[in-house]
Amino acid sequence: CTCKLWSDLIGSSSFAGTHLHRNVTKHAHVYLLCLHHPNVRRQVRPDDPYVQQEFQWSLFSNETSEECFKLSHPLGSTEYFVIYGSSNGLVCISDEILNFDSPIHIWNPSVRKFRTIPMSTNINIKFSYLALHFGFHPGINDYKGVRMMRTNKNALAFEVYSLRTDSWKMIEAIPPWLKCTWQHHKGTFFDGVSYHIIEKGPIFSIVSFDSGSEAFEEFIAPDAICRPFALCIDVFKEQICLLFRYYSCAEEDMAKNDLWVLEEKRWKQMYPFIYPLDSYGTIGISIGNELLMERRDFIKGVGDLCLC
């Protein structure tokens, strides 16, 4: 209403991109997405009415760790939903148990807008889900969703969604080294690339799929990695990393997480995270490159978030 030139400026894609880049590089407006009990500091008693309440998603301040904003389903659904990725304020949500026809929503909680992703046209094939990832691809300036699935004939399939075109694309060329028996574990999405931990016999590998170039790569995990439940994949200082938890280390009454980063397509071992020996579970790496963990109290049934 004030000035047509200003309106054109702030409505332009270049202004939006510059503003977004400034916030990302300065880590401005950063929040932790957390699934938690409505009463964060609940009293654990059998007659405590809070115990019966459902869990909920909320945004917590990265600076103060205080709860800032409760997230309810954009369609008003009371069904439990899962967050499958977030990037630049956009959040990808869907059902807890994914099916081929599960609705997928791209949601901006800040402005309370969302888009429901259209169903894939490949509905003539029966799939079982393995993973769903979502994030921003800076190389092509587009938001991407990646689904990794198995067909009813036990073949692997990848589908890529583009927010720009609002459509899915089936990836036809699957590399031969993926056409074998393997077990899928955790994964993550970074810089437009979807990463998956898979187990082929005694060997652990990280499979990467670039949602822009549609290229696959495989990186054999370090020999020290021998079990999936202690393994985590995340991003450390702008590099894909692996975290492997040990219950003891050389220091008395201490535990550690070994850390490797993927540098020039090779794993480079870094100094480990060392912390007191307790019931800690690894969540991942924070935006400040600290180890984010959950300290569990199994007797009281509660947990605390910790940074190392």
Side-chain angles (χ1 to χ4, degrees):
C1 296
T2 304
C3 174
K4 186 176 185 300
L5 179 63
W6 290 0
S7 177
D8 291 342
L9 173 64
I10 64 175
S12 67
S13 59
S14 60
F15 181 89
T18 303
H19 177 66
L20 180 62
H21 178 73
R22 176 182 178 274
N23 282 342
V24 170
T25 53
K26 291 189 174 183
H27 291 170
H29 312 295
V30 173
Y31 295 91
L32 178 68
L33 279 165
C34 189
L35 179 67
H36 67 99
H37 197 271
N39 180 18
V40 178
R41 293 296 177 189
R42 64 175 177 170
Q43 298 295 318
V44 184
R45 300 191 311 270
D47 59 343
D48 184 358
Y50 285 114
V51 174
Q52 302 302 321
Q53 293 186 6
E54 296 294 329
F55 286 81
Q56 68 181 41
W57 286 101
S58 293
L59 294 178
F60 286 76
S61 169
N62 185 57
E63 295 179 353
T64 66
S65 298
E66 295 295 319
E67 184 180 2
C68 300
F69 190 69
K70 290 182 172 62
L71 300 180
S72 55
H73 197 286
L75 290 175
S77 172
T78 57
E79 295 294 323
Y80 175 63
F81 63 93
V82 173
I83 293 174
Y84 289 95
S86 65
S87 184
N88 302 334
L90 297 185
V91 180
C92 177
I93 64 172
S94 189
D95 298 338
E96 180 181 11
I97 300 176
L98 287 170
N99 295 306
F100 186 68
D101 57 352
S102 293
I104 302 173
H105 309 286
I106 307 301
W107 179 28
N108 187 334
S110 299
V111 296
R112 300 183 181 181
K113 291 184 178 180
F114 72 95
R115 174 185 291 183
T116 301
I117 292 180
M119 291 292 177
S120 169
T121 56
N122 300 294
I123 56 176
N124 58 328
I125 306 174
K126 291 183 179 180
F127 293 98
S128 61
Y129 258 100
L130 289 179
L132 170 62
H133 289 161
F134 170 81
F136 182 66
H137 198 308
I140 55 177
N141 194 30
D142 192 11
Y143 291 87
K144 295 284 191 175
V146 177
R147 295 197 289 196
M148 183 168 72
M149 305 162 288
R150 284 198 185 277
T151 69
N152 53 351
K153 297 181 180 179
N154 206 33
L156 187 67
F158 274 77
E159 255 192 327
V160 178
Y161 169 78
S162 165
L163 187 64
R164 180 187 298 154
T165 63
D166 196 27
S167 61
W168 289 97
K169 178 183 179 181
M170 181 67 77
I171 305 303
E172 303 291 344
I174 304 297
W177 47 264
L178 266 178
K179 297 177 181 180
C180 61
T181 302
W182 47 266
Q183 186 176 357
H184 177 264
H185 294 293
K186 303 168 186 176
T188 192
F189 192 96
F190 175 62
D191 265 0
V193 181
S194 179
Y195 294 88
H196 303 267
I197 299 175
I198 65 171
E199 183 180 0
K200 296 191 289 186
I203 298 173
F204 288 88
S205 292
I206 284 71
V207 174
S208 72
F209 171 73
D210 190 315
S211 59
S213 66
E214 300 174 3
F216 291 88
E217 283 192 90
E218 181 181 26
F219 307 99
I220 305 299
D223 293 338
I225 294 174
C226 56
R227 56 185 187 274
F229 59 85
L231 182 59
C232 179
I233 185 169
D234 212 320
V235 179
F236 179 76
K237 295 184 178 180
E238 301 298 310
Q239 293 175 300
I240 284 294
C241 73
L242 292 176
L243 293 160
F244 189 68
R245 187 178 72 251
Y246 289 88
Y247 293 106
S248 61
C249 66
E251 298 184 37
E252 188 176 356
D253 296 326
M254 303 294 282
K256 71 170 182 174
N257 256 293
D258 272 345
L259 171 67
W260 293 267
V261 296
L262 189 60
E263 192 173 277
E264 297 180 353
K265 300 187 179 184
R266 298 176 65 90
W267 295 110
K268 178 182 178 182
Q269 188 163 14
M270 312 295 284
Y271 192 81
F273 290 99
I274 297 176
Y275 47 89
L277 185 61
D278 204 343
S279 298
Y280 285 102
T282 302
I283 297 176
I285 301 292
S286 74
I287 197 166
N289 296 308
E290 296 170 302
L291 181 64
L292 183 62
M293 298 182 294
E294 177 193 13
R295 184 175 59 197
R296 303 166 183 145
D297 188 325
F298 294 101
I299 297 176
K300 293 182 178 180
V302 296
D304 293 308
L305 286 178
C306 305
L307 288 172
C308 176

